[in-house]
Amino acid sequence: MRLSLVLILGLAYITVACQTISNPKEENYSYPIQKTDKEWKEILSDEQFHILRQQGTEYPFSGAYWDNKKEGTYYSAATGQPLFSSKHKYKSGTGWPSFYKPIEEDAVKEIVDRSHGMVRTEVVDSGSGSHLGHVFNDGPAPTGLRYCMNSASLIFVADGEELPAIVKEWQAKFGK
């Protein structure tokens, strides 16, 4: 009974630790890809819209990529922008895909998040300001960081697989 209570409280804490209600658009930064909510809803699933555009989160251990061990690249589900490499992914035990660094330093932006009575660092893609998750200072070497991401905010493409149209569009526009 006591162990069950500890596990439940631990999962509740982790869930809250990866949530946010901050708005990255409040920052004075102009993202290259800007769309109306109507346009986002046309290209994103309901879950993706909730996470990427409304700063939601998925339940731990529920997303498609938290335990993905394949080699490849993780792209923004909003823009097709490359964000993380499987080479930088590790098992954090939190139930969300975790990385110790982005694929390129400028792939993500970090924004102070003061929601839920705490101060955290929200992570958004630098292409559209879409919410991906949070970064914490409890990760492994060499960075000591844990980029705790929502699977629904990502598209994974295994090495050697065909790139989806959204990734090809990103590459055509931005050459990456």
Side-chain angles (χ1 to χ4, degrees):
M1 175 72 174
R2 180 178 265 171
L3 180 59
S4 295
L5 181 60
V6 170
L7 288 173
I8 290 169
L9 290 174
L11 283 175
Y13 173 78
I14 290 170
T15 299
V16 169
C18 282
Q19 286 183 331
T20 182
I21 56 171
S22 68
N23 185 353
K25 293 184 180 27
E26 292 174 356
E27 186 179 289
N28 288 334
Y29 181 82
S30 180
Y31 297 98
I33 296 176
Q34 297 189 17
K35 299 177 188 282
T36 64
D37 281 351
K38 181 181 178 190
E39 291 171 316
W40 284 119
K41 286 179 179 181
E42 289 174 2
I43 63 170
L44 300 172
S45 70
D46 290 345
E47 179 184 30
Q48 288 173 323
F49 182 82
H50 174 66
I51 290 169
L52 289 159
R53 304 308 305 168
Q54 297 177 317
Q55 293 75 39
T57 193
E58 59 202 11
Y59 290 105
F61 306 100
S62 69
Y65 305 131
W66 75 271
D67 198 30
N68 183 22
K69 295 175 179 69
K70 294 179 184 176
E71 292 185 17
T73 304
Y74 293 83
Y75 299 88
S76 169
T79 65
Q81 175 185 6
L83 299 173
F84 297 97
S85 169
S86 62
K87 293 176 180 133
H88 308 134
K89 187 175 186 285
Y90 71 99
K91 187 173 183 174
S92 66
T94 62
W96 288 274
S98 298
F99 307 85
Y100 62 83
K101 72 177 191 172
I103 199 162
E104 297 287 336
E105 190 174 314
D106 64 352
V108 299
K109 288 193 57 52
E110 298 177 6
I111 300 169
V112 174
D113 172 11
R114 291 185 167 85
S115 65
H116 302 291
M118 59 184 112
V119 179
R120 299 173 292 166
T121 304
E122 179 183 13
V123 178
V124 300
D125 74 40
S126 63
S128 67
S130 293
H131 174 76
L132 304 170
H134 289 87
V135 62
F136 302 95
N137 292 321
D138 60 0
T143 66
L145 299 174
R146 172 173 52 96
Y147 286 84
C148 179
M149 304 293 100
N150 289 286
S151 290
S153 68
L154 305 171
I155 297 170
F156 175 75
V157 179
D159 289 345
E161 284 186 358
E162 174 85 18
L163 295 175
I166 191 171
V167 173
K168 291 178 182 177
E169 289 171 21
W170 174 270
Q171 290 176 337
K173 284 183 185 174
F174 301 102
K176 293 184 180 181

